[in-house]
Amino acid sequence: MHISDLAAEAGVTVKAVRYYESQGLLKPNREANGYRTYSAEDVLVVREIKALLSLGLTAEQTYPFIECLRAGNDRADVCPASLTAYRIRIAEVDQRIAELTDLRARLTDLLTDAESWRTRVRETL
């Protein structure tokens, strides 16, 4: 299939397919006229990339999953490297949660302080 067919079947844009190819995630065959051709396996790969990117993984972090699929596994996340990639992403999310929790606490303290100052000012008037 051609690039537009792959994009349509996988639910992405042609531009996304070209980006995945530029990142080494897809390696299409070339016809004599230079057109890229893709396989049904490539549809699965692109769908997997799309799903992983939606979880906040970078294109680079999807490599272990794609390699796992290309190794003939039914799932992209059953290989040790894929599991490690999940663990790394979870650690990143945990770090971000901690940062946001700290930020929320600081903002709450500032709000409480501002509200109490406002109340004290009104009481003195």
Side-chain angles (χ1 to χ4, degrees), residues 37-85:
T37 58
Y38 300 90
S39 67
E41 180 183 87
D42 290 323
V43 174
L44 298 175
V45 167
V46 170
R47 286 180 181 159
E48 187 68 28
I49 295 167
K50 180 181 175 187
L52 292 166
L53 293 176
S54 77
L55 295 172
L57 278 79
T58 65
E60 185 176 331
Q61 290 171 320
T62 67
Y63 289 128
F65 297 91
I66 303 315
E67 289 172 2
C68 192
L69 273 181
R70 293 206 187 278
N73 294 290
D74 291 333
R75 291 180 53 159
D77 59 1
V78 296
C79 298
S82 300
L83 299 175
T84 298

Side-chain angles (χ1 to χ4, degrees), residues 10-125:
V12 300
T13 64
V14 169
K15 185 176 179 179
V17 174
R18 287 190 180 116
Y19 172 72
Y20 302 157
E21 185 180 339
S22 75
Q23 296 299 302
L25 299 168
L26 289 173
K27 295 178 177 90
N29 292 316
R30 294 280 182 165
E31 293 179 347
N33 60 8
Y35 288 176
R36 299 171 178 94
T37 58
Y38 300 90
S39 67
E41 180 183 87
D42 290 323
V43 174
L44 298 175
V45 167
V46 170
R47 286 180 181 159
E48 187 68 28
I49 295 167
K50 180 181 175 187
L52 292 166
L53 293 176
S54 77
L55 295 172
L57 278 79
T58 65
E60 185 176 331
Q61 290 171 320
T62 67
Y63 289 128
F65 297 91
I66 303 315
E67 289 172 2
C68 192
L69 273 181
R70 293 206 187 278
N73 294 290
D74 291 333
R75 291 180 53 159
D77 59 1
V78 296
C79 298
S82 300
L83 299 175
T84 298
Y86 274 153
R87 288 184 189 98
I88 290 168
R89 182 64 186 135
I90 290 168
E92 292 169 352
V93 169
D94 288 343
Q95 177 63 37
R96 186 69 179 133
I97 289 170
E99 291 167 359
L100 289 171
T101 300
D102 180 59
L103 176 60
R104 186 184 193 288
R106 291 186 349 228
L107 286 167
T108 300
D109 290 345
L110 290 168
L111 175 62
T112 301
D113 183 57
E115 288 175 334
S116 91
W117 179 83
R118 189 172 169 202
T119 302
R120 285 191 312 268
V121 168
R122 274 196 219 143
E123 290 172 356
T124 60
L125 297 177

